[in-house]
Amino acid sequence: MSETAIKECIVRLAEPLAHALGLVVWGVEIARGYRTIIRLFIDVPLSCRDTCLSPAPSEASVAVSSATVSASVGMCEKISRALELALEVEDCLSNSYVLEVSTPGLSRVFFTREQMRPYLGDIVEARLHTALPAETGNAGKNAAGNSSAPRKLWLGKLINVTDTAFVIAPVVLSPAGEGISENMSPVCLPWQAVRRVNRVHIFPVPAKPGKSPKKRTTLETAICTPPVAAVGGTHES
C-alpha cells in the first residue's frame, strides 16, 4: 500500500473517533526508518479555537462540548487505543510501526492551505522539493533591486494565502529570536512545490533586571520545553 493510501486509511479510521470527542484530524505524518512511525495530529475545530475561552473538560470525560480549547492527554489516549484496534482489523500496515497521537503544538505543521489562514502575520518555515527563485518582476527583490538566489528553505511572515499558493515576507531570525525583514518584496510559494511548511513559534524570555527582554525560537527551547503530549504504542508485524 502506498504512503498516500496509508494516510487516507488512517484519516478515515481516525476521523469518527476524533469527531466523537468534539475534535478534528489535523493531519498525518509517516516517518520511515528501522521502524515506521505514524504520527496522528488532532485538534479542536478552527471555528471553536477562536471563540471558545473556557478550559477543556477533564480527561475522564467521554464526550467533549464545543467549549473545548485544546485536546487533552486523555483524549489522545482514547483515540490512540481505539485507532490501534481499528488498524489491526483494517490491516493497512504490514510492517512494524509505532503509533503516536498528539496535538499539532505551537510549531504546527500545515497540511492544507486552509489551515494556514488563521495564522496570517505569524512566521512560517517552508521547505521545498526543489530550490525556487523568487517570482519575477518586483517580487523577490531586495531594497537594492537584486533578485534573491533560488532557495529550498524559505522563512518569512505569512501575509496571504490563495487557492494555489501562499505569500510570505522573507525574514531572518536574530540570535534573540526576532524576525528581521530581509528587505525583499513578498514571495509567492506554490503549494505544489512545498514539501513541508510549519509555523515558527517564538517564546518570549523574561528579562533579567536591568536588561531588555529577548526571545528564543522553538528550536532553542526544544531541550527545556516539555514536548506536546503524545501517546501511542509499538506494533510488531
Side-chain angles (χ1 to χ4, degrees):
M1 186 177 291
S2 67
E3 185 167 303
T4 299
I6 292 175
K7 289 181 178 180
E8 291 175 349
C9 176
I10 293 171
V11 170
R12 174 171 55 83
L13 296 174
E15 278 186 336
L17 302 175
H19 291 168
L21 295 176
L23 305 171
V24 295
V25 173
W26 181 264
V28 177
E29 278 189 331
I30 299 178
R32 302 285 186 178
Y34 172 74
R35 180 172 289 155
T36 301
I37 300 177
I38 307 294
R39 298 188 180 100
L40 172 69
F41 300 103
I42 58 173
D43 202 9
V44 296
L46 290 174
S47 58
C48 180
R49 191 181 308 128
D50 295 333
T51 58
C52 301
L53 300 177
S54 60
S58 65
E59 295 178 4
S61 300
V62 176
V64 178
S65 70
S66 60
T68 303
V69 294
S70 178
S72 67
V73 175
M75 297 172 196
C76 293
E77 290 175 344
K78 291 177 186 294
I79 293 176
S80 178
R81 288 195 296 267
L83 184 57
E84 287 173 357
L85 295 175
L87 287 173
E88 289 181 4
V89 173
E90 193 74 15
D91 196 26
C92 61
L93 293 163
S94 57
N95 298 323
S96 301
Y97 67 93
V98 176
L99 174 64
E100 297 179 355
V101 180
S102 70
T103 59
L106 296 173
S107 296
R108 59 187 58 214
V109 176
F110 297 112
F111 295 91
T112 67
R113 295 181 302 280
E114 289 71 22
Q115 292 176 341
M116 302 181 72
R117 297 185 191 278
Y119 296 91
L120 292 175
D122 289 358
I123 295 177
V124 299
E125 180 183 79
R127 297 180 181 273
L128 311 181
H129 293 292
T130 58
L132 292 179
E135 285 188 337
T136 57
N138 291 329
K141 292 188 176 182
N142 58 24
N146 299 320
S147 297
S148 169
R151 306 179 188 178
K152 291 186 68 174
L153 176 64
W154 285 92
L155 184 72
K157 181 178 292 187
L158 183 64
I159 59 177
N160 192 22
V161 180
T162 70
D163 291 338
T164 59
F166 58 93
V167 183
I168 63 171
V171 301
V172 294
L173 291 180
S174 70
E178 297 283 355
I180 302 175
S181 173
E182 289 197 55
N183 293 321
M184 293 173 57
S185 298
V187 175
C188 182
L189 299 176
W191 182 258
Q192 63 181 8
V194 175
R195 179 167 61 88
R196 178 186 172 95
V197 58
N198 63 276
R199 178 174 181 258
V200 177
H201 182 75
I202 299 176
F203 292 89
V205 179
K208 295 182 179 179
K211 294 185 178 181
S212 59
K214 71 172 186 176
K215 297 180 180 180
R216 57 189 178 190
T217 64
T218 302
L219 294 178
E220 293 173 317
T221 57
I223 60 174
C224 58
T225 303
V228 177
V231 296
T234 301
H235 302 265
E236 301 291 344
S237 58

Short mmCIF file of all heavy atoms in Angstrom, two decimals, residues 133-141 147 186:
data_model
loop_
_atom_site.label_atom_id
_atom_site.label_comp_id
_atom_site.label_asym_id
_atom_site.label_seq_id
_atom_site.Cartn_x
_atom_site.Cartn_y
_atom_site.Cartn_z
N PRO A 133 13.50 30.25 -7.21
CA PRO A 133 13.80 31.67 -7.03
C PRO A 133 12.54 32.42 -6.67
O PRO A 133 11.43 31.89 -6.77
CB PRO A 133 14.32 32.09 -8.42
CG PRO A 133 13.56 31.19 -9.35
CD PRO A 133 13.40 29.87 -8.62
N ALA A 134 12.71 33.65 -6.25
CA ALA A 134 11.54 34.49 -6.02
C ALA A 134 10.89 34.79 -7.36
O ALA A 134 11.49 34.62 -8.42
CB ALA A 134 11.95 35.79 -5.33
N GLU A 135 9.64 35.22 -7.33
CA GLU A 135 8.93 35.50 -8.57
C GLU A 135 9.61 36.61 -9.35
O GLU A 135 10.32 37.44 -8.80
CB GLU A 135 7.48 35.91 -8.28
CG GLU A 135 6.59 34.76 -7.88
CD GLU A 135 5.15 35.19 -7.80
OE1 GLU A 135 4.90 36.38 -7.61
OE2 GLU A 135 4.29 34.32 -7.93
N THR A 136 9.37 36.62 -10.65
CA THR A 136 9.93 37.67 -11.49
C THR A 136 9.21 38.98 -11.22
O THR A 136 8.17 39.03 -10.57
CB THR A 136 9.77 37.30 -12.98
OG1 THR A 136 8.38 37.08 -13.24
CG2 THR A 136 10.56 36.05 -13.30
N GLY A 137 9.75 40.06 -11.76
CA GLY A 137 9.15 41.37 -11.51
C GLY A 137 9.71 41.96 -10.24
O GLY A 137 10.84 41.71 -9.85
N ASN A 138 8.89 42.72 -9.53
CA ASN A 138 9.35 43.34 -8.29
C ASN A 138 9.42 42.36 -7.14
O ASN A 138 10.19 42.53 -6.21
CB ASN A 138 8.41 44.50 -7.91
CG ASN A 138 8.53 45.66 -8.87
OD1 ASN A 138 9.60 45.88 -9.43
ND2 ASN A 138 7.44 46.38 -9.08
N ALA A 139 8.57 41.30 -7.18
CA ALA A 139 8.55 40.35 -6.08
C ALA A 139 9.89 39.64 -5.98
O ALA A 139 10.48 39.25 -6.97
CB ALA A 139 7.45 39.32 -6.30
N GLY A 140 10.38 39.48 -4.75
CA GLY A 140 11.61 38.75 -4.53
C GLY A 140 12.86 39.57 -4.72
O GLY A 140 13.95 39.02 -4.76
N LYS A 141 12.74 40.89 -4.86
CA LYS A 141 13.92 41.73 -4.98
C LYS A 141 14.12 42.51 -3.68
O LYS A 141 13.16 42.92 -3.04
CB LYS A 141 13.77 42.70 -6.15
CG LYS A 141 13.80 41.99 -7.51
CD LYS A 141 13.85 42.99 -8.64
CE LYS A 141 13.96 42.29 -9.99
NZ LYS A 141 14.06 43.25 -11.11
N SER A 147 17.74 40.41 -7.35
CA SER A 147 16.88 39.25 -7.15
C SER A 147 17.50 38.27 -6.18
O SER A 147 18.73 38.14 -6.10
CB SER A 147 16.62 38.55 -8.49
OG SER A 147 15.93 39.40 -9.37
N PRO A 186 7.36 40.70 -1.20
CA PRO A 186 6.75 39.42 -0.86
C PRO A 186 7.06 38.33 -1.89
O PRO A 186 7.19 38.59 -3.08
CB PRO A 186 5.26 39.74 -0.82
CG PRO A 186 5.21 41.20 -0.48
CD PRO A 186 6.39 41.81 -1.18
#
